[in-house]
Amino acid sequence: MITIDPNKLPEHVAIIMDGNGRWAKKRSINRVRGHQQGAETVREIVRTSREMGLSWLTLYAFSEENWKRPQREIGALMKLLKRFLKGELEEMQENGIRLQSIGRIEKLPEDTRKVLFDVMDQTASNKDMVLTLALSYGGRQEILDATRKIGAEIEKGNISADEISEQLISNSLYSEEMPDPELLIRTSGEYRVSNFLLWQIAYTEIYITPTLWPDFSKDEYLEAIQDFQKRKRRFGGTKEE
Ligand code: IPE
Ligand code: IPE
Ligand code: MG
């Protein structure tokens, strides 16, 4: 039995959804079919998160480095994203889910961007959960973009260098109000963070599972949350905080 303590829920869960290609390879089918199946997992995990009462869910959907992939795969992913957004809008509205995105969104193809902005606009006043899609996202690029933003403020004379604080850096990232994740999940068994939320995961608990993303189930998600609830977080101190 998987039992979740509703009083010890993480406020923010972030997920590196990896393993779609390997899932397809195992079945000798096209990688794109793996991404399609992965999109089904996304639906299930978003739904479960909302049912659980999570406030923030962030999904790594496309990295800045993923632009290096073959044009065909990129095209298929963009098309899939568009279809996913259109298909999820109604359920997001019913469940009070607000969609936002982080990353260099301006690099996405125009038609994908249009659907993305449309769904973000339509869900903007929803209050129950924030679903953040990391698209064309890189953690280093995010820190770089924040640094440029702060630099511009200094140039304009609005702030001085010694006024730069951790808080100011946090607030200059792509999503100003997003709290740091308490739990980071990575599927497909790779022990790396692949340029995801570098600044924000300073004290995040990490859960890595060998399960490939298309096979990641609701039960395994709940297990990850349960595992998190047993951890003792010390933040460098001696006592649990
Ligand atoms: C994750 O699956 C999805 C994206 C990065 C878009 P992959 O496509 O990376 O799958 P593997 O790692 O090749 O199995
Ligand atoms: C990380 O997966 C990016 C996403 C899940 C979108 P990758 O498959 O791109 O990462 P690496 O190449 O294994 O580090
Ligand atoms: Mg991968």
Side-chain angles (χ1 to χ4, degrees):
M1 242 313 259
I2 310 162
T3 43
I4 300 279
D5 180 350
N7 301 314
K8 279 175 75 181
L9 218 55
E11 189 188 9
H12 180 187
V13 175
I15 307 181
I16 301 174
M17 313 184 287
D18 197 17
N20 294 349
R22 274 161 285 170
W23 183 90
K25 192 158 186 239
K26 260 174 47 185
R27 288 163 179 75
S28 307
I29 53 177
N30 195 283
R31 293 177 61 86
V32 173
R33 297 268 301 279
H35 295 312
Q36 284 166 351
Q37 198 56 42
E40 295 303 317
T41 305
V42 175
R43 278 182 235 281
E44 173 89 348
I45 296 307
V46 171
R47 194 171 297 148
T48 305
S49 301
R50 178 67 191 91
E51 281 166 10
M52 219 173 3
L54 202 74
S55 301
W56 295 80
L57 174 68
T58 300
L59 302 175
Y60 203 4
F62 194 84
S63 77
E64 184 68 28
E65 290 72 27
N66 287 148
W67 291 115
K68 288 191 288 206
R69 294 191 179 198
Q71 204 38 247
R72 267 211 1 246
E73 184 173 345
I74 295 176
L77 279 167
M78 293 301 147
K79 223 168 106 185
L80 192 60
L81 173 62
K82 223 164 62 171
R83 202 192 317 150
F84 171 82
L85 292 169
K86 284 182 182 165
E88 287 307 278
L89 178 60
E90 195 180 317
E91 198 168 321
M92 284 194 241
Q93 299 293 43
E94 281 167 10
N95 292 318
I97 298 173
R98 169 158 73 91
L99 181 81
Q100 67 165 13
S101 58
I102 52 173
R104 290 186 172 163
I105 303 303
E106 67 280 1
K107 291 174 77 174
L108 299 180
E110 165 118 47
D111 56 333
T112 308
R113 227 180 330 142
K114 196 167 165 292
V115 176
L116 178 69
F117 284 139
D118 184 47
V119 175
M120 292 197 305
D121 279 349
Q122 290 199 55
T123 61
S125 58
N126 290 347
K127 301 252 178 303
D128 295 316
M129 184 176 98
V130 181
L131 170 62
T132 306
L133 293 183
L135 294 165
S136 190
Y137 176 87
R140 285 195 169 183
Q141 292 83 350
E142 179 175 39
I143 294 169
L144 173 62
D145 288 346
T147 306
R148 286 186 177 146
K149 234 191 266 180
I150 294 168
E153 290 304 311
I154 294 176
E155 267 180 6
K156 281 190 255 168
N158 292 338
I159 54 165
S160 64
D162 54 7
E163 281 175 290
I164 301 173
S165 60
E166 287 189 15
Q167 195 56 49
L168 179 65
I169 295 173
S170 290
N171 293 346
S172 305
L173 299 173
Y174 294 135
S175 169
E176 200 177 317
E177 80 283 47
M178 186 170 91
D180 291 343
E182 282 98 342
L183 174 64
L184 171 68
I185 297 172
R186 180 166 190 149
T187 59
S188 92
E190 308 292 355
Y191 285 76
R192 53 178 176 257
V193 290
S194 300
N195 205 13
F196 192 41
L197 304 178
L198 297 182
W199 173 271
Q200 297 91 329
I201 61 172
Y203 265 103
T204 299
E205 296 295 324
I206 302 179
Y207 181 93
I208 293 174
T209 167
T211 305
L212 304 173
W213 178 250
D215 292 327
F216 189 70
S217 64
K218 174 178 177 169
D219 276 359
E220 193 169 1
Y221 184 35
L222 296 177
E223 266 170 42
I225 304 281
Q226 189 185 44
D227 185 88
F228 165 81
Q229 294 187 329
K230 290 185 198 141
R231 308 248 184 126
K232 296 198 174 14
R233 306 188 74 199
R234 282 185 287 269
F235 301 96
T238 53
K239 285 196 293 286
E240 196 175 342
E241 274 178 47

